[in-house]
């Protein structure tokens, strides 16, 4: 059980964020309770993100439960999701950002038993003229789960409470993540809670996509 958590807060060319540092810290503690080996990294530039993902992929193998969590600026372009490193210039462009789908593709190549991608980022559609990153279709192995903090072409919101800041997604994910149930069912509980939150009604709704053919839970002993 291996997890890589990346939170980007302090940007050189984009507005700073508050919640990722807290959300990465809280999620790392919960995943450690579930038996995950966790690497948590903050404020990475593009080269550092590439290196971190490369090292993470080296740790994966047959039967591994792998989680990749990202909190920070991001966008969506023609169905592809991009994470924005702290040194990315304005405006966003695929060559300055990191493709989530390429990471997932490489995770799957390691023959993992479960790939869980948790994206706590905006998914506003951006720059349709921009080139796309090269991505191959995933193998039909039935081991992949996406948990998007928000839906297509929508933003993901932060909560500010005095000195404390947290993403709406993490507020409810940490409430349910220790549950002993199939990971997709756990995420459905998170989705329903976000849907009942009056602060984001009509503005943010979670989205789940998956091909998980077996009842895998984050509480499974490995």
């Amino acid at each position: 059980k291996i997890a890589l958590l990346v939170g980007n807060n302090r940007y050189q060319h984009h507005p700073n964020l508050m919640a990722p540092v807290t959300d990465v810290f809280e999620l790392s503690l919960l995943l450690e309770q579930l038996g995950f080996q966790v690497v948590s990294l903050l404020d990475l530039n593009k080269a550092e993100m590439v290196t971190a993902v490369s090292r993470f992929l080296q740790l994966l193998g047959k039967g591994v439960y792998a989680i990749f969590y990202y909190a920070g600026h991001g966008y969506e372009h023609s169905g592809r999701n991009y994470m924005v490193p702290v040194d990315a210039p304005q405006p966003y462009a695929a060559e300055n950002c990191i493709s989530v789908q390429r990471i997932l593709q490489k995770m799957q190549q390691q023959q993992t038993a479960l790939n869980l991608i948790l994206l706590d980022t905006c998914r506003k559609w951006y720059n349709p003229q921009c080139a796309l990153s090269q991505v191959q279709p995933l193998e039909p192995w039935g081991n992949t789960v996406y948990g998007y903090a928000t839906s297509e072409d929508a933003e993901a919101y932060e909560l500010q409470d005095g000195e404390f800041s947290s993403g709406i997604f993490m507020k409810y994910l940490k409430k349910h993540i220790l549950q002993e149930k199939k990971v997709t069912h756990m995420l459905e509980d998170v989705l329903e809670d976000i849907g009942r939150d009056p602060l984001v009604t009509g503005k943010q709704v979670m989205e789940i996509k998956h091909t998980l053919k077996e009842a895998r839970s984050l509480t499974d002993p490995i």
Side-chain angles (χ1 to χ4, degrees):
K1 290 170 148 183
I2 297 168
L4 173 61
L5 317 182
V6 176
N8 284 343
N9 302 270
R10 296 187 173 277
Y11 281 85
Q12 296 171 21
H13 309 290
H14 305 280
N16 286 339
L17 300 171
M18 302 282 289
V21 61
T22 307
D23 291 347
V24 163
F25 176 70
E26 295 198 326
L27 182 59
S28 68
L29 295 179
L30 291 166
L31 291 177
E32 284 167 3
Q33 286 184 51
L34 290 165
F36 279 82
Q37 304 285 319
V38 183
V39 176
S40 304
L41 301 169
L42 295 173
D43 293 333
L44 302 188
N45 62 33
K46 187 184 177 191
E48 290 166 340
M49 287 184 78
V50 169
T51 300
V53 168
S54 173
R55 300 278 176 87
F56 170 61
L57 292 168
Q58 290 172 22
L59 298 174
L60 306 186
K62 192 165 188 178
V64 167
Y65 282 23
I67 295 178
F68 179 76
Y69 170 83
Y70 171 74
H73 286 306
Y75 71 97
E76 189 163 302
H77 173 31
S78 298
R80 312 260 176 92
N81 298 96
Y82 294 92
M83 302 174 290
V84 180
V86 295
D87 61 344
Q90 295 259 27
Y92 295 151
E95 62 267 24
N96 301 317
C97 298
I98 306 286
S99 164
V100 176
Q101 278 73 20
R102 287 185 75 174
I103 294 174
L104 179 56
Q105 193 181 352
K106 290 176 179 176
M107 288 168 72
Q108 197 186 46
Q109 288 168 2
Q110 302 301 101
Q111 298 186 305
T112 42
L114 172 67
N115 296 315
L116 174 59
I117 304 279
L118 297 171
L119 274 189
D120 199 351
T121 180
C122 295
R123 294 174 65 192
K124 296 297 287 183
W125 290 347
Y126 187 79
N127 203 354
Q129 288 78 39
C130 197
L132 283 170
S133 55
Q134 294 295 313
V135 178
Q136 301 298 317
L138 294 175
E139 298 290 342
W141 290 340
N143 62 348
T144 296
V145 180
Y146 271 105
Y148 294 102
T150 193
S151 52
E152 290 185 65
D153 200 27
E155 296 189 27
Y157 289 89
E158 298 185 331
L159 290 169
Q160 187 69 37
D161 182 11
E163 292 295 302
F164 181 78
S165 186
S166 174
I168 286 273
F169 177 56
M170 186 56 64
K171 175 182 177 181
Y172 295 110
L173 181 64
K174 65 187 182 187
K175 176 180 165 186
H176 295 288
I177 197 166
L178 299 179
Q179 291 179 3
E180 195 169 328
K181 57 170 67 175
K182 186 176 177 180
V183 62
T184 50
H185 297 165
M186 179 273 290
L187 289 173
E188 284 169 5
D189 291 342
V190 179
L191 186 158
E192 290 171 12
D193 271 2
I194 293 174
R196 286 189 286 264
D197 191 315
L199 286 174
V200 291
T201 300
K203 292 189 278 189
Q204 178 176 346
V205 64
M206 193 189 156
E207 183 177 339
I208 304 164
K209 285 176 19 183
H210 78 94
T211 62
L212 196 59
K213 63 186 183 183
E214 296 179 43
R216 300 200 184 278
S217 166
L218 299 185
T219 60
D220 291 346
I222 297 183

